[in-house]
Amino acid sequence: MEDIEAIAVLQDPVRRRLYEYVAAQRREVGRNEAAEAVGVGRTLAAHHLDRLAEAGLLESGSRRLTGRSGPGAGRPAKVYTRARVERSVSLPARDYRTAAELLAEAAERSGADTALHQAARQRGEALRGAAPPCASLEHAAELLAARGYEPRVEDGADGAAAAVRMHNCPFHAVAESFPPLVCGMNLALLEGLLGDGAVRARMDARPGMCCVVVEHR
């Protein structure tokens, strides 16, 4: 019921926009910034942000946004970030996570990694369908966003797009328990989804991000 109640908090359109903005920033966001971003007053934004924190969807803290310290630096301001906890709702109750963990454990014990990765690549190809292989990092970001990876295009030293980093792993819960197996599956899935075009997916695990990066070939 806690997950249902938490997700129900997002029914309010202003509250949902505030949550989506804070979640997309991947850093602490102050009340003024959030209010300006969604086009509401600071007082209203503060109310909704605190409600999101009470529901466990955001985490709140305080720090000085001026970057200064000591006398004259001003009072610390309240800031918000997306909560680390995962929320899901299934009616009636379902437990797909346990099933996924059992299947991953069985695959790991039986040495079925190769078969799993082949199946994952084929699934990625099926998801791409008749579309041609991905031709650019921007196109890759669109495909990844549609699958919940929360991609960000990063620029290189010359200012041109250099890579796509993903700030969410849709398989995070199972990947924590079976990292080599699930991360390999994820890589194979994305290889099939992107195809053998102008970009490629490769392993490059970083804290707080998906284990795969997409870059030019």
Side-chain angles (χ1 to χ4, degrees), residues 10 12 33 50 53 68 79 91 110 112 116 123 154 173 183 192 210:
L10 296 173
D12 183 282
E33 178 188 345
D50 285 340
R68 297 180 297 169
V79 292
L91 296 173
S110 64
L116 174 63
R123 174 59 64 90
E154 295 185 349
C183 290
C210 174

Side-chain angles (χ1 to χ4, degrees), residues 6-66:
I7 293 173
V9 169
L10 296 173
Q11 184 175 359
D12 183 282
V14 173
R15 198 174 293 157
R16 185 183 182 92
R17 294 204 309 273
L18 284 165
Y19 172 78
E20 290 174 344
Y21 178 77
V22 173
Q25 304 314 302
R26 306 297 299 184
R27 58 173 172 77
E28 294 176 328
V29 175
R31 288 171 168 175
N32 287 339
E33 178 188 345
E36 185 177 348
V38 303
V40 299
R42 183 185 185 281
T43 301
L44 180 60
H47 166 74
H48 285 309
L49 290 167
D50 285 340
R51 185 70 185 88
L52 289 165
E54 290 168 7
L57 295 170
L58 296 180
E59 294 177 358
S60 63
S62 61
R63 67 177 177 87
R64 288 188 174 90
L65 299 178
T66 61

Side-chain angles (χ1 to χ4, degrees), residues 34-120:
E36 185 177 348
V38 303
V40 299
R42 183 185 185 281
T43 301
L44 180 60
H47 166 74
H48 285 309
L49 290 167
D50 285 340
R51 185 70 185 88
L52 289 165
E54 290 168 7
L57 295 170
L58 296 180
E59 294 177 358
S60 63
S62 61
R63 67 177 177 87
R64 288 188 174 90
L65 299 178
T66 61
R68 297 180 297 169
S69 60
R75 293 166 50 186
K78 201 161 188 180
V79 292
Y80 304 84
T81 56
R82 180 167 61 178
R84 297 177 181 86
V85 67
E86 223 174 83
R87 301 284 185 180
S88 63
V89 173
S90 178
L91 296 173
R94 298 288 187 263
D95 189 4
Y96 299 114
R97 175 174 174 175
T98 297
E101 289 176 343
L102 287 170
L103 289 168
E105 184 175 351
E108 199 170 68
R109 287 183 179 181
S110 64
D113 305 43
T114 301
L116 174 63
H117 297 166
Q118 287 176 344

